[in-house]
Amino acid sequence: MQFWLRVLCGLTGVLSAAIASAGHDQGVTLSGSVTRFNFSEYNDEGIVSVDESGYVYGSKLDFRKRWDRLYVGAKFDVSKGTVAYNGQRLLGDMDMKPYETTTTETIMDGSVQIGRVYESWRSYDFSVVYAGLGYHQWVRDIKSRILFEDNITKKILGPFEVYRWAYFQVGARGFLFRTDRMFVLVDFNLLRTLAPSMTSDTKGLLDKQHLELGSHFSGRVSIPVRYEVFSRWLLTLEPFYEAWDIGRSQHAVLTDEGVMSTFGAHQPRSASRNYGVDLGIQFEFN
């Protein structure tokens, strides 16, 4: 852990530049977001079996405060949207042919951070190294479809899935540069998922299923931009990229009203590669 703290602190220190007389990078920010959502599932041979992609839209509340060398932060955001589903067929077709439908994604994330401020000889030039804990919930509602193939009408059921995991994070945040009214920062995050799980509801066909998933390292990087429009009020723009990796679950037997069925299933290894931008307004603390 000390190694990663040193790496992140070093990256932020290298990227830090001279700061003018305003801009403390502390305050409350309310923003809206547009995210390009990209999710893939992989079979045991490492080949993509399911791909989901599209835009989701959300809002975020971000709090940051400094007390001398102490840094405290908190974030909460929620996003929702309907994306395209392409890949392996789901319940209702034993052929498992390629299949297209849509998925409604609802994503909620909250985290808290505490860290140490490292100041330089320049006025208002500093970096922060922090650690934190967060909680991530992703609701994946894959839509069912009625298909007519080979003179047969088939109803392909899309399950309703809820993914949950806690995560530990270490990060570093610091200034890139500024002008009289604008400053630009960079924020690196190394994430480690903790006890990820998934609950699947087959919409009445079988009992709900709970699976424990594998933990992996993930990450996020963003470039916050702040522009002062009035005293202590700033416009914010923050492009970001985030990557989540979740491991394969163990194979489990499905049940029907508590009785073991002849069906079994597992949740494959998956990865999300999302990028987007937050746009909002910030009230800056003194």
Side-chain angles (χ1 to χ4, degrees), residues 97-136:
K97 297 177 182 177
Y99 175 68
E100 294 183 1
T101 185
T102 60
T103 302
T104 298
E105 318 284 2
T106 304
I107 304 167
M108 292 177 286
D109 188 279
S111 62
V112 293
Q113 301 84 33
I114 186 169
R116 187 180 190 277
V117 178
Y118 293 86
E119 295 181 341
S120 77
W121 57 271
R122 305 179 183 96
S123 298
Y124 300 104
D125 182 8
F126 67 92
S127 58
V128 177
V129 174
Y130 58 86
L133 291 173
Y135 178 79
H136 191 91

Side-chain angles (χ1 to χ4, degrees), residues 4-19 116 118-122 125-129 171-177 185-188:
W4 284 109
L5 289 174
R6 290 171 183 171
V7 169
L8 292 168
C9 185
L11 285 171
T12 307
V14 169
L15 292 171
S16 295
I19 308 300
R116 187 180 190 277
Y118 293 86
E119 295 181 341
S120 77
W121 57 271
R122 305 179 183 96
D125 182 8
F126 67 92
S127 58
V128 177
V129 174
R173 184 181 182 96
F175 282 90
L176 284 173
F177 66 88
L185 306 105
V186 62
D187 195 338
F188 297 96

Side-chain angles (χ1 to χ4, degrees), residues 2-264:
Q2 290 182 350
F3 170 77
W4 284 109
L5 289 174
R6 290 171 183 171
V7 169
L8 292 168
C9 185
L11 285 171
T12 307
V14 169
L15 292 171
S16 295
I19 308 300
S21 61
H24 300 81
D25 185 37
Q26 57 175 347
V28 176
T29 305
L30 180 63
S31 59
S33 64
V34 179
T35 303
R36 178 67 181 185
F37 178 86
N38 297 283
F39 169 78
S40 299
E41 291 180 355
Y42 299 87
N43 61 24
D44 291 340
E45 287 72 44
I47 300 173
V48 175
S49 58
V50 171
D51 175 78
E52 293 183 6
S53 61
Y55 289 97
V56 297
Y57 306 91
S59 58
K60 178 183 295 183
L61 182 65
D62 187 354
F63 169 86
R64 298 176 311 283
K65 178 63 178 175
R66 292 176 56 196
W67 287 276
D68 193 20
R69 297 281 183 175
L70 176 66
Y71 169 87
V72 175
K75 295 181 181 180
F76 177 77
D77 66 87
V78 58
S79 299
K80 187 172 184 176
T82 299
V83 305
Y85 175 103
N86 294 279
Q88 178 177 293
R89 291 192 181 186
L90 305 171
L91 301 169
D93 186 4
M94 299 303 295
D95 295 335
M96 306 300 282
K97 297 177 182 177
Y99 175 68
E100 294 183 1
T101 185
T102 60
T103 302
T104 298
E105 318 284 2
T106 304
I107 304 167
M108 292 177 286
D109 188 279
S111 62
V112 293
Q113 301 84 33
I114 186 169
R116 187 180 190 277
V117 178
Y118 293 86
E119 295 181 341
S120 77
W121 57 271
R122 305 179 183 96
S123 298
Y124 300 104
D125 182 8
F126 67 92
S127 58
V128 177
V129 174
Y130 58 86
L133 291 173
Y135 178 79
H136 191 91
Q137 178 175 289
W138 167 35
V139 179
R140 183 184 180 207
D141 186 4
I142 305 171
K143 304 304 181 183
S144 303
R145 284 191 60 191
I146 302 296
L147 301 180
F148 185 76
E149 294 178 336
D150 303 323
N151 295 320
I152 299 175
T153 299
K154 301 177 180 180
K155 183 176 183 180
I156 313 299
L157 289 177
F160 181 89
E161 299 177 343
V162 181
Y163 296 75
R164 300 180 178 90
W165 60 81
Y167 60 88
F168 176 73
Q169 63 180 154
V170 291
R173 184 181 182 96
F175 282 90
L176 284 173
F177 66 88
R178 69 155 295 121
T179 65
D180 289 341
R181 303 186 68 177
M182 182 180 75
F183 58 93
V184 181
L185 306 105
V186 62
D187 195 338
F188 297 96
N189 269 265
L190 176 67
L191 310 169
R192 175 68 178 184
T193 55
L194 304 173
S197 67
M198 187 269 279
T199 301
S200 178
D201 183 348
T202 58
K203 300 178 180 177
L205 182 63
L206 296 166
D207 296 338
K208 289 184 179 180
Q209 181 185 32
H210 181 81
L211 296 173
E212 302 296 331
L213 307 176
S215 294
H216 282 279
F217 284 102
S218 303
R220 189 180 194 274
V221 61
S222 66
I223 302 178
V225 180
R226 308 287 189 249
Y227 182 82
E228 186 179 30
V229 288
F230 303 107
S231 175
R232 300 175 65 183
W233 290 95
L234 299 90
L235 290 178
T236 68
L237 178 72
E238 186 169 347
F240 64 86
Y241 176 83
E242 64 180 15
W244 291 103
D245 287 271
I246 301 297
R248 182 188 189 277
S249 75
Q250 295 295 318
H251 194 77
V253 177
L254 302 178
T255 61
D256 183 4
E257 296 183 351
V259 179
M260 297 178 65
S261 71
T262 58
F263 300 101

